[in-house]
């Protein structure tokens, strides 16, 4: 096998036995869909879906100064995260550009797990390792130590309860706790990337098939189905959640992306990118940059990433993600548009699809929010 062949997760053989359509994603061979991506999407919104997310990058940070290192390396205030809790944050360049968005779990007083996007895992590992100089803390690449399985959807708590000893009722959103699932040790987290309630299970790769099978069996009566990356993308798009490489890039700061709230200037000590981000914050206040908005197509043609957003014959923005929305029954998109055209209901906004301006309605994000 050549070194540039895609990596395979511990569940690879299982996906193939289920007839999954596989695709190369960030250097991994991943299931795109098993059957109909629309059916998989609807299952997560109404019942439950099971995902293999083992391509995500786990990095463990330990030691007496682990919190201080993460406060220096990331834009968030990681020192204030309680044990057993998680926080959404970002790692930025010195110039404020976003290297990746992350979830950081505090597993113990001096132990954290940083979860990076698959496409950026090596970049984040290298940055954290470089930024650890001078801190009494160790950065460890744990990508091979975990398989990651997610169960998402309104039926997911009931399904998971049947195969775990963990107190799921006491597990808050953006928290994680150790327990067992199907009799094997797991870190059970409640974060999610679909807009639904759900759980992520970090388990040893050798235990992944057992956990997947137990959840499949437990979920069958509730309508749980295996789900691929394709419906994960339409689910997160409806929920208005950014995807690195689309809504987030090194050419944007968190303030440009409308996520300035994750930057904590008030925390102790300096952090990488602070000066540039302070400038970006004041710039955004005085002269708002392009704003991330939702677009709902009036017709059937699908706006795609890179398409121009137009108004009055002028280009006013660019689509970052677009797809048919199974929940809304119409094509939707996220786009960065000039502040003058960002207000919900702004008239005359279209997307240039193959030379023709297709009318779109400007809406605030997210497109979909669960009721409970």
């Amino acid at each position: 096998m050549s070194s540039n062949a895609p990596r395979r997760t511990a569940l690879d053989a299982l996906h193939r036995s289920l007839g999954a359509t596989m695709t190369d994603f960030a250097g991994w061979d991943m299931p795109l869909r098993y059957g109909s991506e629309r059916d998989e999407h609807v299952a997560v919104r109404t019942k439950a879906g099971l995902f293999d997310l083992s391509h995500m990058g786990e990095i463990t940070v330990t030691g007496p100064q682990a919190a201080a290192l993460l406060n220096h390396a990331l834009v968030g205030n990681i020192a204030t995260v309680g044990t057993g809790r998680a926080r959404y944050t970002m790692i930025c360049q010195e110039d404020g550009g976003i290297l990746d968005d992350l979830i950081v779990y505090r597993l113990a007083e001096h132990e954290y797990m940083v979860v990076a996007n698959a496409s950026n895992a090596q970049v984040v590992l290298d940055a954290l390792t470089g930024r650890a100089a001078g801190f009494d803390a160790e950065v460890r690449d744990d990508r091979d130590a975990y398989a990651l399985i997610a169960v998402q959807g309104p039926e997911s708590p009931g399904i998971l309860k049947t195969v775990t000893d963990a107190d799921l009722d006491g597990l808050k959103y953006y928290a994680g706790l150790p327990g067992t699932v199907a009799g094997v040790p797991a870190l059970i987290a409640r974060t999610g990337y679909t807009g639904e309630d759900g759980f992520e299970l970090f388990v040893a790769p050798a235990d992944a098939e057992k956990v997947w099978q137990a959840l499949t069996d437990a979920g069958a009566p509730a309508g749980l189905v295996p789900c691929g990356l394709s419906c994960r993308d339409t689910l997160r798009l409806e929920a208005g959640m950014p995807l690195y490489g689309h809504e987030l890039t090194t050419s944007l700061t968190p303030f440009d992306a409308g996520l300035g709230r994750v930057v904590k200037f008030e925390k102790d000590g300096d952090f990488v990118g602070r000066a540039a981000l302070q400038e970006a914050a004041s710039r955004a206040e005085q002269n708002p940059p392009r704003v991330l908005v939702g677009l709902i197509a009036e017709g059937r043609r699908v706006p795609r990433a890179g398409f121009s957003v137009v108004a009055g014959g002028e280009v006013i923005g660019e689509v970052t993600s677009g797809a048919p929305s199974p929940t809304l029954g119409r094509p939707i998109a996220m786009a960065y548009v000039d502040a003058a055209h960002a207000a919900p209901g702004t008239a005359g906004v279209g997307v240039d699809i193959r030379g023709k301006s297709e009318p779109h309605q400007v809406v605030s994000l997210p497109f979909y929010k669960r009721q409970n």
Side-chain angles (χ1 to χ4, degrees):
M1 216 165 124
S2 68
S3 60
N4 60 0
R7 297 179 67 181
R8 296 184 169 194
T9 77
L11 294 165
D12 184 79
L14 198 146
H15 298 315
R16 291 168 196 278
S17 74
L18 292 171
T21 300
M22 306 296 285
T23 188
D24 184 341
F25 183 83
W28 290 81
D29 223 1
M30 298 298 293
L32 191 61
R33 70 181 75 81
Y34 298 84
S36 148
E37 56 205 50
R38 190 182 182 285
D39 290 350
E40 292 170 25
H41 180 111
V42 171
V44 176
R45 285 275 177 262
T46 58
K47 299 181 178 92
L50 193 58
F51 296 85
D52 179 8
L53 305 180
S54 301
H55 60 315
M56 301 294 280
E58 296 87 7
I59 300 160
T60 303
V61 181
T62 55
Q65 289 190 297
L69 161 59
L70 290 170
N71 261 13
H72 163 71
L74 312 179
V75 300
N77 193 346
I78 307 305
T80 60
V81 178
T83 301
R85 297 309 303 264
R87 185 158 294 165
Y88 176 79
T89 187
M90 293 183 183
I91 182 166
C92 289
Q93 300 178 147
E94 200 65 71
D95 67 2
I98 303 166
L99 277 174
D100 201 13
D101 62 334
L102 310 165
I103 295 178
V104 178
Y105 297 91
R106 188 171 194 169
L107 304 181
E109 189 182 356
H110 299 307
E111 183 181 1
Y112 295 80
M113 181 167 70
V114 177
V115 181
N117 285 296
S119 55
N120 294 330
Q122 191 63 47
V123 170
V124 173
L125 178 67
D126 292 345
L128 286 175
T129 303
R131 294 173 189 188
F135 288 93
D136 186 1
E138 183 199 346
V139 176
R140 189 173 72 231
D141 180 0
D142 269 347
R143 284 176 288 180
D144 292 336
Y146 294 104
L148 177 55
I149 295 170
V151 54
Q152 293 276 309
E155 298 288 345
S156 58
I159 293 166
L160 186 54
K161 270 179 193 172
T162 65
V163 294
T164 184
D165 62 348
D167 172 23
L168 297 187
D169 294 333
L171 184 64
K172 296 185 172 76
Y173 188 53
Y174 264 75
L177 87 176
T180 64
V181 177
V184 304
L187 172 68
I188 302 163
R190 195 173 205 160
T191 53
Y193 192 55
T194 62
E196 299 300 336
D197 193 9
F199 303 88
E200 293 73 46
L201 311 170
F202 295 87
V203 300
D207 294 330
E209 277 204 30
K210 183 177 182 185
V211 170
W212 180 280
Q213 203 51 58
L215 287 164
T216 298
D217 296 344
L224 173 138
V225 299
C227 292
L229 292 181
S230 191
C231 83
R232 186 168 182 250
D233 193 49
T234 52
L235 289 159
R236 70 93 196 165
L237 177 55
E238 288 183 352
M241 294 176 170
L243 176 63
Y244 195 88
H246 289 255
E247 288 72 40
L248 309 173
T249 68
T250 49
S251 63
L252 296 169
T253 72
F255 294 94
D256 299 320
L259 290 163
R261 64 179 182 276
V262 306
V263 181
K264 304 300 181 190
F265 293 119
E266 71 279 7
K267 65 180 172 175
D268 292 340
D270 197 15
F271 63 92
V272 177
R274 178 195 274 273
L277 288 167
Q278 277 171 323
E279 272 178 44
S282 79
R283 208 168 48 238
E285 229 167 85
Q286 290 150 22
N287 180 21
R290 284 185 165 176
V291 179
L292 189 63
V293 301
L295 299 174
I296 301 177
E298 290 180 14
R300 310 304 307 173
R301 298 176 84 183
V302 180
R304 298 291 184 187
F307 287 12
S308 295
V309 184
V310 292
E314 300 286 314
V315 174
I316 56 149
E318 186 177 305
V319 172
T320 53
S321 297
S325 163
T327 305
L328 276 66
R330 289 204 276 176
I332 59 172
M334 287 200 271
Y336 282 109
V337 302
D338 294 346
H341 293 88
T346 301
V349 172
V351 175
D352 184 337
I353 302 180
R354 293 179 204 83
K356 183 172 185 284
S357 174
E358 299 280 349
H360 281 65
Q361 181 188 352
V362 180
V363 297
S364 54
L365 293 167
F367 299 97
Y368 166 86
K369 202 164 191 174
R370 74 174 192 264
Q371 295 310 301
N372 52 354

